[in-house]
Amino acid sequence: MPVLDPNPQNGQKKMLIVFGSFFAIFIVIAVIATLASP
């Protein structure tokens, strides 16, 4: 089973959305930490 299937099933798409939102939150936290650090 490929990780990035061009035509994913419903469960795989839901897992991809969860990982994508987690990655986006991680990027936002990293940007805020970079701006907050002197």
Side-chain angles (χ1 to χ4, degrees), residues 10-11 13 15 21-23 28 30 32 36 38:
N10 195 15
K13 184 183 295 183
M15 190 172 65
S21 58
F22 176 76
F23 193 64
V28 170
I32 293 176

Side-chain angles (χ1 to χ4, degrees), residues 1-3 7 9-10 13-16 20-30 33-35 37-38:
M1 177 183 291
V3 178
N7 198 5
Q9 282 81 22
N10 195 15
K13 184 183 295 183
K14 185 179 298 183
M15 190 172 65
L16 201 66
S21 58
F22 176 76
F23 193 64
I25 292 173
F26 178 76
I27 290 177
V28 170
I29 292 176
T34 304
L35 291 176
S37 62

